Amino acid sequence: MILPVLESLTLHKARSEAAATLTATILLAAADTYIQKLSLALGDPVRLLDDDGKEAFLGSIHVLERTPERVILTAYDRGIFLTRNELRGAYFGESADIVEQVAEELGIAVGTVETGPGMRFFASYSGESAFSILRQTVGEKFEISIRDDALCVTKHAYIVYVLQPSQVLEVSGTASLAHMVNRCTVVDRKNIARAAAECPDDISAYGQFQTFLPQNGDDPAAQAKAALTGRSLRGEVTVMGNLNYRCGCAVELHRSEWGLDGVYAVTAAEHRWEGGIYTTAMQLEFIRK
């Protein structure tokens, strides 16, 4: 229990990262008998509980930095093993099959897997991290994590929290067409078109942004449809702290004057406790109105 000597604490998790990271600064005073003494070592478990006693983080210490006045520890949850383990070989099958292959090589169980259909092939001969292999297999929209000692790949934000304007401390938003793809054609090795998909509404509103992709798998129609990308609507908000707001959930906020109007996936969340103030900063990605 480090609360009496805790100066600051940060809990961070992003979709682009395999592991949640907890950083804590703990006060020291070797000559003061009233200051709690702690024995910290690499590999020690670190557990963060919310106000109801529910576990919000479970990991272990990977870095310790000591000064005469304080010690700074950095801990990661078990997702770090996806980053720190490199794998070699060829992986073939549907995305879910490759997830199972990676889990088997790492010796961990498979939890919830929500990848779509379609065959994939990926080869790693020089050694790539398990997380990199999974990311290239399932795409950028999925959350990859280890939960309850099982490898999970999830897409949908099942829990949507309504943000009240009174909770919001700081907000910014960005709208962009830079990555829009509203027409896609999939071609085979002979450059013959096998399938095409388009979004007529976006073409009418913004003009055509087209791409051609080599066929990957046995369902070119699904591949073409999956490649369509709409306008990018992103935001960043800082709110009064709440551990329920985490990477993988979603928030709803209707303030068009702030550039945020709809339901947004939380793609990164950082919880910070410092100076008696608790805040949560989130990166958001538009899902729907």
Side-chain angles (χ1 to χ4, degrees), residues 229-271:
T229 303
R231 58 182 181 166
S232 171
L233 300 175
R234 291 186 169 88
E236 296 184 7
V237 296
T238 300
V239 300
M240 292 184 291
N242 189 328
L243 273 171
N244 289 321
Y245 303 154
R246 309 194 71 182
C247 183
C249 74
V251 296
E252 183 175 355
L253 181 64
H254 297 286
R255 279 294 184 272
S256 56
E257 67 272 23
W258 295 349
L260 298 174
D261 187 13
V263 178
Y264 293 79
V266 178
T267 60
E270 181 173 284
H271 302 271

Side-chain angles (χ1 to χ4, degrees), residues 78-79 111-112 143-154 247-248:
R78 292 203 66 200
T112 303
E143 308 289 343
I144 302 170
S145 60
I146 295 181
R147 303 176 188 169
D148 299 323
D149 293 330
L151 175 59
C152 299
V153 180
T154 55
C247 183

Side-chain angles (χ1 to χ4, degrees), residues 27-252:
L27 298 174
L28 301 176
D32 191 335
T33 58
Y34 292 95
I35 292 289
Q36 180 181 0
K37 301 299 186 294
L38 297 172
S39 176
L40 300 173
L42 295 176
D44 280 353
V46 175
R47 193 171 182 228
L48 176 66
L49 305 179
D50 64 17
D51 292 337
D52 298 322
K54 183 179 178 182
E55 188 174 271
F57 174 88
L58 177 62
S60 58
I61 298 174
H62 282 242
V63 181
L64 282 173
E65 303 173 63
R66 298 180 184 273
T67 70
E69 296 82 20
R70 55 184 50 84
V71 58
I72 302 172
L73 68 84
T74 301
Y76 301 100
D77 70 12
R78 292 203 66 200
I80 193 66
F81 295 110
L82 298 177
T83 303
R84 296 290 299 277
N85 280 286
E86 293 185 347
L87 304 178
R88 296 178 59 207
Y91 302 86
F92 177 77
E94 293 192 351
S95 296
D97 298 327
I98 296 178
V99 171
E100 290 186 3
Q101 293 174 43
V102 170
E104 183 178 0
E105 289 196 45
L106 293 178
I108 59 178
V110 176
T112 303
V113 177
E114 298 176 334
T115 58
M119 304 300 289
R120 301 285 189 274
F121 174 78
F122 181 80
S124 172
Y125 297 116
S126 59
E128 290 198 47
S129 73
F131 183 71
S132 174
I133 293 172
L134 292 170
R135 177 58 71 206
Q136 294 178 67
T137 298
V138 304
E140 297 295 330
K141 297 295 184 180
F142 291 84
E143 308 289 343
I144 302 170
S145 60
I146 295 181
R147 303 176 188 169
D148 299 323
D149 293 330
L151 175 59
C152 299
V153 180
T154 55
K155 181 177 182 179
H156 304 290
Y158 294 110
I159 302 177
V160 179
Y161 297 98
V162 178
L163 283 183
Q164 301 299 330
S166 59
Q167 296 176 271
V168 179
L169 305 175
E170 188 175 324
V171 62
S172 62
T174 303
S176 173
L177 301 177
H179 301 290
M180 174 176 281
V181 175
N182 52 34
R183 192 173 196 282
C184 177
T185 301
V186 175
V187 299
D188 62 16
R189 293 182 180 180
K190 297 181 180 180
N191 205 33
I192 297 174
R194 292 303 181 187
E198 63 180 32
C199 182
D201 290 344
D202 282 354
I203 293 175
S204 176
Y206 308 112
Q208 180 173 288
F209 300 98
Q210 178 175 252
T211 188
F212 290 85
L213 295 177
Q215 184 174 343
N216 181 5
D218 56 1
D219 192 346
Q223 182 184 354
K225 184 177 180 180
L228 298 179
T229 303
R231 58 182 181 166
S232 171
L233 300 175
R234 291 186 169 88
E236 296 184 7
V237 296
T238 300
V239 300
M240 292 184 291
N242 189 328
L243 273 171
N244 289 321
Y245 303 154
R246 309 194 71 182
C247 183
C249 74
V251 296
E252 183 175 355

